[in-house]
PDB file of all heavy atoms in Angstrom:
ATOM      1  N   ASN A  72      -7.316  -1.838  10.176  1.00 98.00           N
ATOM      2  CA  ASN A  72      -7.017  -2.111   8.764  1.00 98.00           C
ATOM      3  C   ASN A  72      -6.506  -0.828   8.103  1.00 98.00           C
ATOM      4  O   ASN A  72      -6.526   0.252   8.716  1.00 98.00           O
ATOM      5  CB  ASN A  72      -8.260  -2.639   8.035  1.00 98.00           C
ATOM      6  CG  ASN A  72      -9.434  -1.693   8.137  1.00 98.00           C
ATOM      7  OD1 ASN A  72      -9.412  -0.604   7.578  1.00 98.00           O
ATOM      8  ND2 ASN A  72     -10.459  -2.084   8.880  1.00 98.00           N
ATOM      9  N   GLY A  73      -6.072  -0.948   6.865  1.00 98.00           N
ATOM     10  CA  GLY A  73      -5.480   0.192   6.171  1.00 98.00           C
ATOM     11  C   GLY A  73      -6.490   1.251   5.768  1.00 98.00           C
ATOM     12  O   GLY A  73      -6.167   2.441   5.704  1.00 98.00           O
ATOM     13  N   THR A  74      -7.714   0.826   5.480  1.00 98.00           N
ATOM     14  CA  THR A  74      -8.763   1.793   5.123  1.00 98.00           C
ATOM     15  C   THR A  74      -9.042   2.709   6.321  1.00 98.00           C
ATOM     16  O   THR A  74      -9.073   3.938   6.183  1.00 98.00           O
ATOM     17  CB  THR A  74     -10.059   1.048   4.717  1.00 98.00           C
ATOM     18  OG1 THR A  74      -9.730   0.067   3.730  1.00 98.00           O
ATOM     19  CG2 THR A  74     -11.096   2.006   4.172  1.00 98.00           C
ATOM     20  N   ILE A  77      -6.333   5.404   6.941  1.00 98.00           N
ATOM     21  CA  ILE A  77      -6.434   6.633   6.143  1.00 98.00           C
ATOM     22  C   ILE A  77      -7.582   7.510   6.651  1.00 98.00           C
ATOM     23  O   ILE A  77      -7.421   8.728   6.821  1.00 98.00           O
ATOM     24  CB  ILE A  77      -6.637   6.291   4.646  1.00 98.00           C
ATOM     25  CG1 ILE A  77      -5.428   5.522   4.117  1.00 98.00           C
ATOM     26  CG2 ILE A  77      -6.860   7.569   3.828  1.00 98.00           C
ATOM     27  CD1 ILE A  77      -5.662   4.870   2.744  1.00 98.00           C
ATOM     28  N   THR A  98      -5.453   3.017  -7.977  1.00 98.00           N
ATOM     29  CA  THR A  98      -5.147   2.532  -6.635  1.00 98.00           C
ATOM     30  C   THR A  98      -6.207   1.526  -6.220  1.00 98.00           C
ATOM     31  O   THR A  98      -7.202   1.339  -6.922  1.00 98.00           O
ATOM     32  CB  THR A  98      -5.108   3.710  -5.625  1.00 98.00           C
ATOM     33  OG1 THR A  98      -4.729   3.218  -4.328  1.00 98.00           O
ATOM     34  CG2 THR A  98      -6.455   4.419  -5.509  1.00 98.00           C
ATOM     35  N   ALA A  99      -5.982   0.894  -5.083  1.00 97.00           N
ATOM     36  CA  ALA A  99      -7.027   0.071  -4.476  1.00 97.00           C
ATOM     37  C   ALA A  99      -8.192   0.992  -4.137  1.00 97.00           C
ATOM     38  O   ALA A  99      -7.980   2.119  -3.690  1.00 97.00           O
ATOM     39  CB  ALA A  99      -6.481  -0.589  -3.213  1.00 97.00           C
ATOM     40  N   ALA A 101      -9.854   1.114  -1.723  1.00 98.00           N
ATOM     41  CA  ALA A 101      -9.757   1.477  -0.308  1.00 98.00           C
ATOM     42  C   ALA A 101      -9.291   2.920  -0.094  1.00 98.00           C
ATOM     43  O   ALA A 101      -9.787   3.601   0.806  1.00 98.00           O
ATOM     44  CB  ALA A 101      -8.786   0.526   0.393  1.00 98.00           C
ATOM     45  N   THR A 102      -8.351   3.396  -0.914  1.00 98.00           N
ATOM     46  CA  THR A 102      -7.833   4.756  -0.736  1.00 98.00           C
ATOM     47  C   THR A 102      -8.968   5.768  -0.834  1.00 98.00           C
ATOM     48  O   THR A 102      -9.081   6.689  -0.012  1.00 98.00           O
ATOM     49  CB  THR A 102      -6.784   5.076  -1.829  1.00 98.00           C
ATOM     50  OG1 THR A 102      -5.809   4.041  -1.857  1.00 98.00           O
ATOM     51  CG2 THR A 102      -6.110   6.410  -1.573  1.00 98.00           C
ATOM     52  N   VAL A 144      -0.228   7.761  -3.035  1.00 98.00           N
ATOM     53  CA  VAL A 144      -0.180   6.299  -2.912  1.00 98.00           C
ATOM     54  C   VAL A 144       1.143   5.800  -3.505  1.00 98.00           C
ATOM     55  O   VAL A 144       1.435   6.057  -4.676  1.00 98.00           O
ATOM     56  CB  VAL A 144      -1.361   5.642  -3.665  1.00 98.00           C
ATOM     57  CG1 VAL A 144      -1.313   4.127  -3.506  1.00 98.00           C
ATOM     58  CG2 VAL A 144      -2.692   6.203  -3.173  1.00 98.00           C
ATOM     59  N   ASP A 170      -0.100   7.044   1.580  1.00 98.00           N
ATOM     60  CA  ASP A 170      -0.740   5.725   1.619  1.00 98.00           C
ATOM     61  C   ASP A 170       0.365   4.701   1.390  1.00 98.00           C
ATOM     62  O   ASP A 170       0.823   4.484   0.262  1.00 98.00           O
ATOM     63  CB  ASP A 170      -1.826   5.626   0.535  1.00 98.00           C
ATOM     64  CG  ASP A 170      -2.524   4.257   0.530  1.00 98.00           C
ATOM     65  OD1 ASP A 170      -1.969   3.302   1.116  1.00 98.00           O
ATOM     66  OD2 ASP A 170      -3.604   4.139  -0.072  1.00 98.00           O
ATOM     67  N   ALA A 172       0.266   1.440   2.131  1.00 98.00           N
ATOM     68  CA  ALA A 172      -0.259   0.067   2.220  1.00 98.00           C
ATOM     69  C   ALA A 172       0.583  -0.932   1.440  1.00 98.00           C
ATOM     70  O   ALA A 172       0.627  -2.109   1.772  1.00 98.00           O
ATOM     71  CB  ALA A 172      -1.701   0.032   1.723  1.00 98.00           C
ATOM     72  N   GLN A 173       1.290  -0.444   0.394  1.00 98.00           N
ATOM     73  CA  GLN A 173       2.047  -1.360  -0.461  1.00 98.00           C
ATOM     74  C   GLN A 173       3.557  -1.149  -0.381  1.00 98.00           C
ATOM     75  O   GLN A 173       4.292  -1.690  -1.202  1.00 98.00           O
ATOM     76  CB  GLN A 173       1.578  -1.196  -1.924  1.00 98.00           C
ATOM     77  CG  GLN A 173       0.080  -1.442  -2.091  1.00 98.00           C
ATOM     78  CD  GLN A 173      -0.365  -1.562  -3.530  1.00 98.00           C
ATOM     79  OE1 GLN A 173       0.437  -1.463  -4.451  1.00 98.00           O
ATOM     80  NE2 GLN A 173      -1.649  -1.786  -3.739  1.00 98.00           N
ATOM     81  N   SER A 194      -1.352  -0.739   5.713  1.00 98.00           N
ATOM     82  CA  SER A 194      -2.264  -1.875   5.826  1.00 98.00           C
ATOM     83  C   SER A 194      -1.436  -3.131   6.067  1.00 98.00           C
ATOM     84  O   SER A 194      -0.354  -3.282   5.511  1.00 98.00           O
ATOM     85  CB  SER A 194      -3.041  -2.062   4.520  1.00 98.00           C
ATOM     86  OG  SER A 194      -3.625  -3.362   4.474  1.00 98.00           O
ATOM     87  N   TYR A 196      -3.036  -6.196   5.608  1.00 98.00           N
ATOM     88  CA  TYR A 196      -3.786  -7.275   4.954  1.00 98.00           C
ATOM     89  C   TYR A 196      -2.779  -8.388   4.630  1.00 98.00           C
ATOM     90  O   TYR A 196      -1.607  -8.093   4.348  1.00 98.00           O
ATOM     91  CB  TYR A 196      -4.437  -6.702   3.684  1.00 98.00           C
ATOM     92  CG  TYR A 196      -5.321  -7.656   2.945  1.00 98.00           C
ATOM     93  CD1 TYR A 196      -6.595  -7.955   3.423  1.00 98.00           C
ATOM     94  CD2 TYR A 196      -4.889  -8.265   1.765  1.00 98.00           C
ATOM     95  CE1 TYR A 196      -7.409  -8.841   2.738  1.00 98.00           C
ATOM     96  CE2 TYR A 196      -5.705  -9.149   1.079  1.00 98.00           C
ATOM     97  CZ  TYR A 196      -6.967  -9.444   1.578  1.00 98.00           C
ATOM     98  OH  TYR A 196      -7.774 -10.317   0.902  1.00 98.00           O
ATOM     99  N   LYS A 199       0.145  -8.088   2.009  1.00 98.00           N
ATOM    100  CA  LYS A 199       1.033  -6.908   1.953  1.00 98.00           C
ATOM    101  C   LYS A 199       2.459  -7.283   2.388  1.00 98.00           C
ATOM    102  O   LYS A 199       2.672  -8.329   2.987  1.00 98.00           O
ATOM    103  CB  LYS A 199       0.477  -5.795   2.839  1.00 98.00           C
ATOM    104  CG  LYS A 199      -0.988  -5.455   2.577  1.00 98.00           C
ATOM    105  CD  LYS A 199      -1.221  -4.580   1.360  1.00 98.00           C
ATOM    106  CE  LYS A 199      -2.690  -4.571   1.004  1.00 98.00           C
ATOM    107  NZ  LYS A 199      -3.255  -3.342   0.551  1.00 98.00           N
ATOM    108  N   GLY A 207      -5.234  -5.792   9.697  1.00 98.00           N
ATOM    109  CA  GLY A 207      -4.449  -4.966  10.608  1.00 98.00           C
ATOM    110  C   GLY A 207      -3.988  -3.730   9.877  1.00 98.00           C
ATOM    111  O   GLY A 207      -4.065  -3.665   8.640  1.00 98.00           O
ATOM    112  N   TYR A 323      -4.931  -2.347 -11.421  1.00 95.00           N
ATOM    113  CA  TYR A 323      -6.281  -2.794 -11.132  1.00 95.00           C
ATOM    114  C   TYR A 323      -7.063  -2.737 -12.422  1.00 95.00           C
ATOM    115  O   TYR A 323      -6.876  -1.822 -13.200  1.00 95.00           O
ATOM    116  CB  TYR A 323      -6.898  -1.908 -10.051  1.00 95.00           C
ATOM    117  CG  TYR A 323      -6.140  -2.066  -8.753  1.00 95.00           C
ATOM    118  CD1 TYR A 323      -5.042  -1.260  -8.477  1.00 95.00           C
ATOM    119  CD2 TYR A 323      -6.481  -3.059  -7.844  1.00 95.00           C
ATOM    120  CE1 TYR A 323      -4.314  -1.433  -7.297  1.00 95.00           C
ATOM    121  CE2 TYR A 323      -5.762  -3.225  -6.662  1.00 95.00           C
ATOM    122  CZ  TYR A 323      -4.678  -2.416  -6.404  1.00 95.00           C
ATOM    123  OH  TYR A 323      -3.947  -2.596  -5.269  1.00 95.00           O
TER     124      TYR A 323
HETATM  125  C1  PLP B 429      -4.545  -2.632   0.786  1.00 71.83           C
HETATM  126  C2  PLP B 429      -4.620  -1.200   0.481  1.00 71.83           C
HETATM  127  C3  PLP B 429      -5.360  -0.295   1.284  1.00 71.83           C
HETATM  128  C4  PLP B 429      -6.339  -0.699   2.347  1.00 71.83           C
HETATM  129  O1  PLP B 429      -5.965  -1.597   3.244  1.00 71.83           O
HETATM  130  P1  PLP B 429      -7.020  -2.575   3.975  1.00 71.83           P
HETATM  131  O2  PLP B 429      -6.193  -3.070   5.112  1.00 71.83           O
HETATM  132  O3  PLP B 429      -7.382  -3.636   2.994  1.00 71.83           O
HETATM  133  O4  PLP B 429      -8.169  -1.766   4.421  1.00 71.83           O
HETATM  134  C5  PLP B 429      -5.264   1.063   1.002  1.00 71.83           C
HETATM  135  N1  PLP B 429      -4.507   1.516  -0.008  1.00 71.83           N
HETATM  136  C6  PLP B 429      -3.809   0.695  -0.809  1.00 71.83           C
HETATM  137  C7  PLP B 429      -2.969   1.280  -1.887  1.00 71.83           C
HETATM  138  C8  PLP B 429      -3.856  -0.691  -0.597  1.00 71.83           C
HETATM  139  O5  PLP B 429      -3.153  -1.496  -1.409  1.00 71.83           O
END
Side-chain angles (χ1 to χ4, degrees):
N72 57 68
T74 309
I77 298 167
T98 183
T102 308
V144 181
D170 180 343
Q173 303 192 0
S194 163
Y196 184 76
K199 308 281 167 142
Y323 296 89

